[in-house]
Amino acid sequence: MIQTYALELPFRGERTYLHGTDLYQAALASTLLTGPLSLTFHSLLKNQPDLVCSTESLRHMREDPAFRAELRLGSGTGALHAVLLESSRPITERKVCNESDVAAPAVVDEAARSAVLDAPTIGKPIEQIVFLNKHLHLRLLPQLSSKWLFARLDLLAPIPVESPKKIIIELRQVLGNRFTRSEIFWDNTKVGSISFSTPQ
């Protein structure tokens, strides 16, 4: 059975595309499953998205011209498959971007290739993870790009609603000077990884 949810999201700050943190939150709010999570963005969304969900594989929808991202929640036969398709509905609203405020307290250890947020209070946990990772990239890899895009998220379970006492991001791989993978630690426990890419 396929279900489709028409999402309505604002642009964040001066961006002309929907931000991955907002897409993550909207997609998770439309589902109730727990367990492992994988989210991959393939291209930017500049119009409102439709979230298409099914208990069956939606791999064939990668060929749709409107295909922008895919999500898998859970594991085995109980897994939920989803894709984000770009609709023709325009985005007419904007909201303030809190990136600078979220990342301001971060402490970067360049030798350890890590960044830490102690007792984060600003922003939601997904924002804290993504903006902390971006802050780390801008400090460690300024020669590669001044802009980085949230490309992939792999988690053992959806991010808790409440922030932890500490978030640590450790940069592990830089591939072809365009793709990266960082590990995410939640109160010193590894909970998954996040990947960024440079704009094409």
Side-chain angles (χ1 to χ4, degrees), residues 11 14 16 24 26 97 100 104 110 117 136 147 156 170 196:
F11 286 128
E14 298 303 311
T16 57
Y24 169 88
C97 183
S100 297
E110 295 190 16
L117 274 179
L136 181 63
K147 294 184 178 180
L156 298 176
E170 296 182 356
F196 274 15

Side-chain angles (χ1 to χ4, degrees), residues 173-190:
Q173 289 181 303
V174 181
L175 304 172
N177 289 337
R178 285 204 57 238
F179 299 95
T180 68
R181 185 181 68 83
S182 302
E183 292 184 348
I184 306 164
F185 294 86
W186 194 267
D187 287 334
N188 296 315
T189 299
K190 182 181 173 183

Side-chain angles (χ1 to χ4, degrees), residues 7-15 17-30 39 41 45 48-49 51 84 91 93-99 123-128 130-131 150 153:
L7 305 181
E8 295 294 327
L9 298 172
F11 286 128
R12 183 183 282 257
E14 298 303 311
R15 290 177 177 86
Y17 59 88
L18 291 174
H19 199 263
T21 56
D22 296 317
L23 290 163
Y24 169 88
Q25 292 176 96
L28 266 289
S30 300
L39 171 63
F41 294 105
L45 278 145
Q48 296 291 1
L51 177 70
L84 285 169
I91 300 167
E93 310 235 345
R94 288 188 177 275
K95 70 176 184 179
V96 174
C97 183
N98 58 350
E99 180 175 350
K124 296 180 179 175
I126 182 62
E127 296 170 338
Q128 294 161 357
V130 172
F131 294 147
F150 174 17
L153 184 67

Side-chain angles (χ1 to χ4, degrees), residues 75-93:
S75 58
T77 56
L80 178 72
H81 305 268
V83 298
L84 285 169
L85 302 179
E86 186 167 32
S87 75
S88 59
R89 302 189 310 277
I91 300 167
T92 59
E93 310 235 345

Side-chain angles (χ1 to χ4, degrees), residues 7-197:
L7 305 181
E8 295 294 327
L9 298 172
F11 286 128
R12 183 183 282 257
E14 298 303 311
R15 290 177 177 86
T16 57
Y17 59 88
L18 291 174
H19 199 263
T21 56
D22 296 317
L23 290 163
Y24 169 88
Q25 292 176 96
L28 266 289
S30 300
T31 66
L32 298 175
L33 293 185
T34 59
L37 178 151
S38 176
L39 171 63
T40 305
F41 294 105
H42 292 266
S43 54
L44 299 176
L45 278 145
K46 298 186 176 183
N47 286 312
Q48 296 291 1
D50 290 326
L51 177 70
V52 181
C53 303
S54 176
T55 54
E56 303 294 329
S57 172
L58 295 174
R59 188 178 294 268
H60 63 281
M61 298 192 79
R62 292 179 181 176
E63 305 304 317
D64 191 312
F67 173 77
R68 297 292 180 270
E70 57 190 326
L71 170 73
R72 179 183 168 96
L73 266 172
S75 58
T77 56
L80 178 72
H81 305 268
V83 298
L84 285 169
L85 302 179
E86 186 167 32
S87 75
S88 59
R89 302 189 310 277
I91 300 167
T92 59
E93 310 235 345
R94 288 188 177 275
K95 70 176 184 179
V96 174
C97 183
N98 58 350
E99 180 175 350
S100 297
D101 293 334
V102 170
V107 176
V108 174
D109 183 334
E110 295 190 16
R113 293 163 68 91
S114 68
V116 178
L117 274 179
D118 267 314
T121 58
I122 301 172
K124 296 180 179 175
I126 182 62
E127 296 170 338
Q128 294 161 357
I129 289 170
V130 172
F131 294 147
L132 181 61
N133 193 46
K134 183 176 176 183
H135 184 72
L136 181 63
H137 279 57
L138 294 176
R139 282 285 298 275
L140 296 184
L141 307 170
Q143 76 282 8
L144 296 186
S145 181
S146 61
K147 294 184 178 180
W148 290 91
L149 298 174
F150 174 17
R152 183 178 174 93
L153 184 67
D154 291 287
L155 299 170
L156 298 176
I159 299 167
V161 175
E162 299 297 327
S163 298
K165 294 179 181 177
K166 180 185 293 186
I167 296 174
I168 304 171
I169 302 289
E170 296 182 356
L171 180 63
R172 295 297 194 191
Q173 289 181 303
V174 181
L175 304 172
N177 289 337
R178 285 204 57 238
F179 299 95
T180 68
R181 185 181 68 83
S182 302
E183 292 184 348
I184 306 164
F185 294 86
W186 194 267
D187 287 334
N188 296 315
T189 299
K190 182 181 173 183
V191 296
S193 64
I194 183 169
S195 296
F196 274 15
S197 67

